[in-house]
Amino acid sequence: MDPLLALRPWEAPEVTSWGRLPMNAVDRRSGALCLDGDWRFQLLPAPDAPLAEAWSSSYVPGVWTLQGTDDLPQYTNVRMPFAEFPPASPAANPTGVHEREVDVPAEWAGRRIVLRIGAAESVLLVHVDGRPVGISKDSHLAAEFDLSGVVRPGERAVVRLTVVKWSDASHIEDQDQWWHGGITRSVLLYATDPLHLADVTVRARLDGELQVDCRVRDTGGALPEGWYVSGELEGHLLAQDEEFDRVNAEDERVSAFLGEARMRTTVPEVRTWNAETPELYGLTVRLHRADGTVADTSYHRVGFRDVEIVGRDLLVNGERVFIRGVNRHDFHPLTGRTVSYEDMRADLVLLKRFGFNAIRTAHYPNDPGLYDLADELGFYVVDEADIESHDHAHEIADDPRYLNAFVDRVSRMVLRDKNHPSVIIWSLGNESDYGAHHDAAAGWVRRYDPTRPLQYEGAAKRGWADPDLASDIACPMYAPIEDCVAHALSGEQTKPLIQCEYSHAMGNSNGTLADHWAAIESTPGLQGGFIWEFWDHGILQRVSDGRPAGRAGAGLYDNGVAAPGHRWAYGGDFGETIHDGAFIADGVVFPDRTPKPALYEHREIAAPVRIQCFKHEGIVLGNHQHFRGLDWLTGRWELSLADGRTLTAPAELPDLCPGETAAVPLPFELPRDGGEAWLTLRVTTAEDLPWAPRGTEVCTPQVRLRAASVVQDPPVADRPVEVDGEGLLVHPLLTAAPTLSLWRAPTDNDELGGMALRWRAWGLDSLVRKVVSVRRDGARVSVIAEYAGTVGVVRHRQVFTPVEGGVRIDEQAELPDQFDDVARVGSVFETVAGLDLLDWFGQGPWESYPDRSAGAPVGHHSVPVDELFTPYLRPQESGGRHGVRRFTLSAPDATGLAVTLDQPRQVSVTRHRAEDLTAASHHDELVPRSGCVVHIDAAHRGLGTASCGPDTSPSYRIAPGVHRWSWTLRVL
């Protein structure tokens, strides 16, 4: 029997590897033979099932679940997708056999030949020419195998990679993501000299001190005499650490088969690395034979920086930095877990443009290219081990059978990523309870790499201030900001408080984000956190047959919307019975990386330059960065006046160090003709940057210079208002008259937070209107109606008064005590077709809501109606604009209607009624209406993040009692 199959590694947690080489940080990309492409492929029902005669093909790297097989993706959050308890796996266990020929270069004769598989999910078995080579577990780190004694240079070899989908390891890879199977990262074959660098460890300090430790091996056995290493840092030669060499020479524990060497230097006037100015130096390490010839080389990009915790502050280069982070999976809507270098660069460029400076690699080490990009572009990285045992966390945390797996996964991550300056914190994993395995892994990390703190939420939740737990940082999930502030003010805090997850971005969400950051920035001891998460993990699916679109789907989506005949699939869409629905769609970008409106909120919250206040003598600007001035930015002033005018002028930003403020004169003389006036500073990049071309908008800080003056149109008596027999307004541009609305299509937060259930129980989605009275007083009409739910009645009054060119509608709604937290209170009406452009004065241009409006500046905005709607993966309330003062809906010939509001209100204009959105599960089920559905809300409930985390704060909820609002409708 095959010795690898005889080990049955898919059900043996004590077998973490066999034949696998130790992890290291040596760069092996130069000269490697890439084996990516089409491989012969068979999908077996179980690992010990016999091979068939016929082969299909599969692209490597890639997952077979998105390449036309009958084994389709499945999404679960907590639950395992099978019933077996750890360490067991199901008998029905899809197993992919990948095979191809490889021509081994003849010039590799006499060299050491290594096969690297970038990642395989979840158990990898390697054979070459039918001979067993090795085994590896851990779906998100590379596995290397020495083929020197197996292949012959100049000849062809058959490489077979067998991947078993389910295993004992699956129980500790129970992460909130799609389950796939396959080889997800590149496969390489490379060669080295028998005398080779086994590992390189780089430590570069803030003061310019550089230490490089090298480990050397020789496949022939004992190391030859006279070898040595050299290092060059951008033309500067490193010196050998003779004391280190002397001690090693005298140490009997140092093996003749493993050589160690250390080099040092100090860089004068060193350019330090941080997320704002990510300065890197090129380091080349060479291994020499005794005659001076080079046996091996490794290249590294070095960043000089220090990370430490002092008291309750996390310091980078001695500065207390705010962590403006996001959690990120390796994800692509067509290829699943396989991402290209260009994909990763696009991810980080987008995040950089929206004010993020940190990434948590949820919940496993990401593709190696991500760390190179984080070094280059400037991100702080929390590097997280591939450990999550969510469904069986308590049982596994102390199960000795899994001890080696925990330590193996954490240590291999550290060994791989230790030389990246971007990695400032190690994470022991996610949602795996807390047990002896975590303490063991933490002990290894602290011994091996004392230069970085480590964190683990499972330990931190046992006590934010407990110094004896395996987390140097208090890193809770979704803690209410009030609790965080209370902890920081309690006098008991001992560690930095940086939430590993907060502000759950599922659907129309991220409410109170600005309030959260106002508390963080004003409370010592709070340093930020990581939004959950970057992606909506929608997979492009063909509606006709329910299959993934696969690589052929490229180009079949745009601006967050799938092309006709396709949709974004979430849990349950592939026929699976065990799934967690749309909980996979919880990112700040859509599956095609289109930003959601919440990103603009974050961009403004993270603004590097801000308007501190407005004084009569001018504007006070502040530099809110940690390390750099404002010279990389330029600006332009924009004055928005209520009369429709917008004035602009160039802005000269003051020379400010981090944390400094300065007053600048007002760029305009404020017109004397009254009316509301808002001053905006549009800040853009002054020069081309690696993450943004010159002129990229960075932030738009704004201040109100003058409040609105209240002017009410006088009534006219010559044109009585027309209403029908039910007291409903009759208007030539309306197909449905204004009525009371208390319902919104529930957001994901509404549904999972329980609010929608309560609203349905009250009958808010099916209120029954009954006319109580219709009275005329000259040209004015007063209508009183009652809207009955299942548990209460709302009394609604409308007064229609003719004014010049239109009608003013004064409204009042009295909510009973039972309705103590409704979705909205306001008017809804529908228009005739053809009114396709919305112009408004208020906050915009993107979607905003009462508790998510900091990123939408007040101004004059114009957007086609069809672009107002936000296509969240599960249809729900969306497209609202907060703080609208007035708006027009017009046809191409400039005819249409105009609405003026008594005060800034929440307004939405879409093609969908709330009941249309509520009834649909995907956007391909929606049929846009020809006219516009318009909501004008006296009050609109905040969004919060209750799908996973705190609800919106009480100040954004709607209380019972009397609500009043007024608006004027005119024909253009």
Side-chain angles (χ1 to χ4, degrees), residues 286-552:
R286 297 182 179 91
L287 171 62
H288 301 265
R289 305 179 186 92
D291 62 2
T293 56
V294 175
D296 203 0
T297 303
S298 184
Y299 179 79
H300 303 266
R301 292 194 299 181
V302 176
F304 289 83
R305 59 103 183 99
D306 284 351
V307 180
E308 59 184 332
I309 292 176
V310 177
R312 57 180 185 171
D313 294 327
L314 173 69
L315 306 181
V316 175
N317 297 343
E319 295 290 331
R320 180 179 182 268
V321 297
F322 286 124
I323 300 299
R324 304 182 186 277
V326 70
N327 288 273
R328 179 194 174 277
H329 279 284
D330 280 343
F331 169 77
H332 191 280
L334 304 180
T335 57
R337 206 96 67 221
T338 299
V339 291
S340 68
Y341 186 81
E342 291 73 23
D343 289 332
M344 290 182 285
R345 176 174 279 276
D347 292 353
L348 298 197
V349 162
L350 182 70
L351 287 169
K352 197 80 174 177
R353 291 182 184 180
F354 282 92
F356 291 92
N357 69 355
I359 295 166
R360 176 177 173 232
T361 67
H363 297 294
Y364 43 81
N366 283 185
D367 186 285
L370 181 92
Y371 303 81
D372 294 334
L373 288 163
D375 294 342
E376 173 194 336
L377 298 175
F379 283 91
Y380 303 122
V381 174
V382 173
D383 204 4
E384 189 151 277
D386 186 16
I387 299 172
E388 180 172 340
S389 56
H390 209 153
D391 199 14
H392 300 285
H394 186 68
E395 305 99 286
I396 289 177
D398 290 308
D399 185 338
R401 294 174 295 180
Y402 279 94
L403 173 61
N404 287 344
F406 274 59
V407 177
D408 182 64
R409 289 166 181 245
V410 172
S411 62
R412 294 181 76 235
M413 171 188 70
V414 173
L415 289 167
R416 188 194 76 165
D417 298 333
K418 60 190 173 185
N419 294 337
H420 289 281
S422 57
V423 176
I424 65 167
I425 298 169
W426 302 117
S427 169
L428 301 179
N430 184 66
E431 293 177 320
S432 301
D433 204 344
Y434 180 43
H437 305 345
H438 299 98
D439 288 333
W444 187 94
V445 175
R446 289 189 167 120
R447 168 76 180 189
Y448 184 82
D449 180 23
T451 69
R452 295 175 175 96
L454 59 83
Q455 70 175 50
Y456 176 57
E457 181 268 342
K461 72 181 181 182
R462 299 290 183 92
W464 290 358
D466 191 333
D468 297 324
L469 300 177
S471 185
D472 301 316
I473 295 169
C475 50
M477 289 181 177
Y478 309 107
I481 191 60
E482 298 82 5
D483 292 357
C484 297
V485 171
H487 177 67
L489 299 179
S490 67
E492 299 175 356
Q493 185 180 9
T494 61
K495 304 176 182 180
L497 199 157
I498 303 170
Q499 293 209 57
C500 67
E501 295 177 23
Y502 81 107
S503 193
H504 194 251
M506 185 177 181
N508 193 357
S509 189
N510 301 108
T512 71
L513 189 61
D515 306 70
H516 202 106
W517 271 95
I520 290 171
E521 293 190 357
S522 61
T523 309
L526 306 186
Q527 279 190 255
F530 296 83
I531 289 175
W532 186 266
E533 62 164 312
F534 181 55
W535 287 103
D536 270 357
H537 292 231
I539 293 175
L540 190 67
Q541 180 186 46
R542 300 191 299 262
V543 176
S544 59
D545 58 8
R547 308 286 293 186
R551 291 176 180 268

Side-chain angles (χ1 to χ4, degrees), residues 21 24 26 28-33 108 111-116 144-145 188-192:
L21 295 173
N24 63 81
V26 179
R28 295 298 184 193
R29 286 167 287 192
S30 178
L33 182 64
W108 286 2
R111 294 173 66 79
R112 167 178 171 263
I113 299 173
V114 177
L115 177 69
R116 172 185 288 179
E144 292 191 338
F145 302 91
L188 301 177
L189 191 70
Y190 68 85
T192 74

Side-chain angles (χ1 to χ4, degrees), residues 887-906:
F887 65 89
T888 64
L889 273 169
S890 59
D893 62 0
T895 61
L897 59 83
V899 172
T900 304
L901 305 170
D902 59 337
Q903 66 184 66
R905 301 288 188 183
Q906 183 79 17

